Amino acid sequence: MAKRFLGEFEQMVLLATLQLRDEAFALSILGELDQRAGRSVSRGTLYKTVERLEAKGFLQWNAEQGSPERGGHPRRRFTVTERGLAALRESREALQRLWEGLDEAVEGSRQ
């Protein structure tokens, strides 16, 4: 089977989900993306990405009871699957190989 590469934003969503652990709900993920990555996106953008990641088998969710503040509406807690973790590792390794030997070229451009 051919490798399925992660897009930049897909990686960010998976990493934010991992960072949040048991608090990986949509609004928390949006906040994490904004705070850690400086990436402010709409809920719609997040949900489209989540749908793609679910279709690839990289992300899953479970419905949880909603709080009274939410009118009892359930909310989704997201988790990264084993396949998602493997995809993140493969992506990190590929990027590390591409970065090899480029420190001087990249850092030198700052001068």
Side-chain angles (χ1 to χ4, degrees), residues 9-26 28-30 32-33 36 46 49-50 53 58-61 76-81 85 88:
F9 189 62
E10 290 176 329
Q11 287 182 62
M12 288 183 177
V13 169
L14 291 175
L15 291 169
T17 301
L18 287 171
Q19 288 287 346
L20 290 164
R21 295 177 176 84
D22 290 339
E23 296 300 317
F25 301 101
S28 301
I29 293 170
L30 288 172
E32 191 77 2
L33 291 168
R36 288 188 183 247
L46 176 64
T49 303
V50 163
L53 290 168
F58 297 160
L59 192 71
Q60 62 187 21
W61 60 270
R76 294 192 243 179
R77 180 192 308 262
F78 297 95
T79 55
V80 178
T81 65
L85 289 170
L88 280 170

Side-chain angles (χ1 to χ4, degrees), residues 5 11 39 44 53 60 66 74-75 77 83 95 98-99 101:
F5 291 99
Q11 287 182 62
R39 189 85 181 254
L53 290 168
Q60 62 187 21
R75 59 187 192 160
R77 180 192 308 262
R83 285 182 67 188
L95 288 171
L98 286 167
W99 274 101

Side-chain angles (χ1 to χ4, degrees), residues 30-73:
L30 288 172
E32 191 77 2
L33 291 168
D34 189 29
Q35 181 182 23
R36 288 188 183 247
R39 189 85 181 254
S40 180
V41 297
S42 69
R43 281 192 223 182
T45 298
L46 176 64
Y47 279 115
K48 284 287 189 190
T49 303
V50 163
E51 288 173 10
R52 264 195 326 275
L53 290 168
E54 283 182 286
K56 292 178 180 181
F58 297 160
L59 192 71
Q60 62 187 21
W61 60 270
N62 295 306
E64 290 199 357
Q65 179 72 29
S67 65
E69 297 84 32
R70 293 176 45 85
H73 297 289

